[in-house]
Amino acid sequence: MVERIMPEPYRIKMVEPVKVPDRDEREEALKRAHYNMFGLRSQDVYIDLLTDSGTGAMSKYQWGALMIGDEAYAGADSFFSLKKAVKEILGFDYVVPTHQGRAAENVVFGTLVKKGDVVPFNMPFDTTRAHIFNNGGEPLDCVIDEAYHPEVQHPFKGNVDIKKLEAAVAKYGKDRIPFVMVTITNNSGGGQPVSLENLRQVSDVCRSHGILLLLDGARMAENAYFIKTREEACRGMSVAEILKETMNTADAITVSCKKDPLVNIGGMVCSRTEELHNSFLPRVILFEGYATYGGLAGRDLEALALGLREMVDEQYLAHRVAQVRYLGDLLGEGGVPCVTPAGGHAIFIDAAAFLPHIPQSAYPADVLGIEIYREGAIRGIGLGALAFATPDETGRIVYPKLELFRLAINRRTYTNHHIEFIAQTILDVYGRRDAIRYGLKEGYAPAVKGMKHFLVHLEPYAL
Ligand code: F0G
């Protein structure tokens, strides 16, 4: 059933005009893009759901704060605005800014991961996975089995399977496991939350073995909102309180601030101890900039400090999560197979079930992307074999268990009417799914492991 949705808890002060390209223009754009959604120009897209990263709208307070940015190279006031917000909202004493989330990963993983290491995750995001590889380590998925079944209902499908984690710790030991990392919410598994109870269990396992626990907090506020609405023990708590409790389980976090913290650019590493914080500083200075600006302008730090405060606003979060669910409900009502329950930032269509006649080796998630763009000039992104298939030691291709297509909803950007148009467009594609009978083959592809889907040139071929 489609639940009624409340209107947006904001009003529009500035508009960004967008154009709807006609069908011929869309065909031309697809050819120019080599059928890769990353290759499309923004002006070729009517509704852009490629990512929720850095694509949201800042508030008038954030825009106002840009004017008070302190651009001193070291010790800028704006850094201390950020440090204060981090302490108040997340409880960490130490923070280093970075230019975005993967830069935070580069700093942390480059410091802590050595060749031959294994890093247990619930599931890492694609750039996170690539950064572990890049530092000579291997990520290990320890998410609960329910995560691999799009139709199975579970309130916390991002949870770590504690048995899998304990088995990994028993197998590789503290010497080969520099830390355990939990992604909240689990983006690769459908934007699914992790419960506070589960995080505490993971933390207990880590502490009893002297292993650090890190969180990837890109969507930590949405995760806290899900905990508030789904975890009985936390019902009476505010999102802000839950978020602090969540953070209390971890030794450090990396954050892409382009997501929940509501800025267009920025990242950070927050740590519990001075020792851990200090260990990160040389790499921050080497790759990002001095420790108090880390690749960002002072004005960016001011906007981020406010974004951290705004992200725990419960009216905002209630609408955000409801808007994403509304899209899921409209699609579900029309029979479109999606990961359920709806994620916090995105709806993930089960492309394998949508296009069951297209084998995974022909990249059905990416075929679906092309068809949705063709139908409504809407851009999403395939998260299936093209992004995640990897060869094993013998060269045999290992396909991911999930073949998903993601529609990421930008924060405070699109209205509920846009959501209805998106749903109708996808239902139209669903109505003609049997006639979609082609696959995609690769032309140019970069050699770096984990990078293919961003840059690959694709060519349709008839099946
Ligand atoms: N961690 C998670 C869970 C992410 O979703 C992302 C980015 C990153 C880390 C890296 O952060 O982009 O600031 O360098 N996800 C984007 C996405 C790109 O589309 O989901 P970044």
Side-chain angles (χ1 to χ4, degrees):
M1 204 191 61
V2 180
E3 263 179 58
R4 269 181 72 161
I5 182 161
M6 67 169 164
E8 293 72 16
Y10 48 82
R11 58 188 171 207
I12 294 163
K13 196 183 192 80
M14 189 194 283
V15 293
E16 183 169 11
V18 286
K19 195 173 138 268
V20 189
D22 66 28
R23 286 195 180 258
D24 289 346
E25 287 170 328
R26 289 176 218 169
E27 281 313 313
E28 273 310 303
L30 279 172
K31 280 201 197 102
R32 270 199 314 274
H34 298 286
Y35 296 92
N36 181 336
M37 292 296 121
F38 282 101
L40 289 173
R41 289 188 57 165
S42 168
Q43 62 177 223
D44 298 325
V45 178
Y46 170 42
I47 299 179
D48 201 348
L49 309 179
L50 181 68
T51 175
D52 62 321
S53 183
T55 51
M58 291 209 299
S59 69
K60 64 177 181 178
Y61 305 108
Q62 288 177 292
W63 281 104
L66 296 181
M67 296 304 290
I68 57 166
D70 176 358
E71 306 302 342
Y73 191 91
D77 290 346
S78 303
F79 171 72
F80 290 96
S81 302
L82 173 64
K83 195 171 158 62
K84 190 160 179 279
V86 165
K87 176 69 184 168
E88 283 172 26
I89 306 295
L90 305 174
F92 289 100
D93 283 321
Y94 300 95
V95 58
V96 279
T98 60
H99 81 272
Q100 62 183 83
R102 69 201 67 182
E105 291 162 9
N106 180 32
V107 166
V108 171
F109 300 172
T111 306
L112 299 178
V113 178
K114 58 183 192 313
K115 198 166 169 13
D117 277 354
V118 174
V119 181
F121 279 83
N122 49 350
M123 257 186 183
F125 186 60
D126 56 0
T127 58
T128 314
R129 183 182 299 275
H131 264 294
I132 297 280
F133 289 140
N134 199 40
N135 282 289
E138 280 287 330
L140 182 70
D141 289 0
C142 292
V143 74
I144 55 171
D145 288 339
E146 285 86 340
Y148 298 112
H149 300 284
E151 71 296 343
V152 170
Q153 293 291 322
H154 189 292
F156 293 103
K157 262 179 151 174
N159 276 359
V160 175
D161 185 322
I162 301 296
K163 288 218 168 65
K164 288 184 195 170
L165 177 63
E166 281 171 338
V169 172
K171 183 165 175 197
Y172 301 106
K174 178 176 155 40
D175 290 345
R176 285 184 65 191
I177 301 181
F179 55 88
V180 172
M181 194 159 194
V182 184
T183 316
I184 55 171
T185 57
N186 180 22
N187 186 7
S188 304
Q192 300 292 320
V194 179
S195 73
L196 186 54
E197 186 189 14
N198 186 248
L199 284 170
R200 285 179 174 149
Q201 289 167 341
V202 174
S203 179
D204 287 346
V205 173
C206 288
R207 283 198 187 142
S208 67
H209 290 87
I211 297 171
L212 295 171
L213 172 59
L214 271 55
L215 301 179
D216 174 339
R219 299 179 182 87
M220 55 191 161
E222 289 161 11
N223 198 79
Y225 183 78
F226 279 123
I227 290 175
K228 183 181 166 72
T229 52
R230 294 183 186 171
E231 193 163 342
E232 200 51 55
C234 301
R235 236 171 242 283
M237 295 165 73
S238 68
V239 167
E241 286 166 344
I242 293 169
L243 185 58
K244 269 243 181 92
E245 287 296 315
T246 304
M247 295 297 125
N248 279 344
T249 62
D251 296 290
I253 60 169
T254 60
V255 187
S256 167
C257 299
K258 303 171 72 172
K259 281 87 171 176
D260 275 2
L262 292 163
V263 286
N264 299 120
I265 194 73
M268 62 183 180
V269 183
C270 308
S271 336
R272 186 88 41 217
T273 65
E274 189 174 11
E275 188 194 353
L276 198 54
H277 172 73
N278 285 348
S279 75
F280 297 141
L281 298 184
R283 271 184 87 84
V284 174
I285 297 171
L286 199 54
F287 290 105
E288 293 296 289
Y290 187 65
T292 57
Y293 77 88
L296 295 174
R299 56 180 170 271
D300 298 330
L301 300 174
E302 293 288 351
L304 172 55
L306 281 178
L308 287 171
R309 297 177 190 285
E310 291 180 11
M311 76 177 181
V312 290
D313 178 320
E314 295 197 11
Q315 255 188 18
Y316 151 70
L317 280 170
H319 177 263
R320 164 136 187 89
V321 168
Q323 193 183 50
V324 174
R325 190 186 53 224
Y326 184 48
L327 177 57
D329 284 352
L330 292 171
L331 292 176
E333 192 186 46
V336 177
C338 295
V339 174
T340 54
H345 68 295
I347 290 298
F348 291 69
I349 297 176
D350 180 356
F354 194 115
L355 296 169
H357 50 282
I358 301 182
Q360 211 174 4
S361 58
Y363 304 138
D366 304 276
V367 170
L368 182 56
I370 291 168
E371 291 306 312
I372 290 172
Y373 176 73
R374 271 200 173 115
E375 191 70 38
I378 295 167
R379 164 160 75 171
I381 189 65
L383 292 173
L386 188 66
F388 297 121
T390 39
D392 65 11
E393 310 83 61
T394 66
R396 194 179 61 93
I397 304 289
V398 182
Y399 286 97
K401 293 191 182 119
L402 295 171
E403 183 72 22
L404 304 177
F405 181 77
R406 187 183 75 173
L407 302 154
I409 308 300
N410 304 184
R411 293 175 181 77
R412 307 192 292 205
T413 305
Y414 292 117
T415 64
N416 299 341
H417 280 306
H418 285 109
I419 298 292
E420 285 155 12
F421 176 80
I422 297 161
Q424 191 51 55
T425 300
I426 293 167
L427 288 174
D428 291 345
V429 177
Y430 193 59
R432 60 176 177 79
R433 64 190 180 282
D434 290 340
I436 302 169
R437 295 205 166 259
Y438 66 94
L440 295 165
K441 61 174 187 277
E442 295 170 27
Y444 162 77
V448 182
K449 199 172 173 186
M451 287 296 108
K452 186 168 70 185
H453 56 303
F454 295 110
L455 298 165
V456 69
H457 292 181
L458 297 166
E459 194 60 50
Y461 67 95
L463 281 175

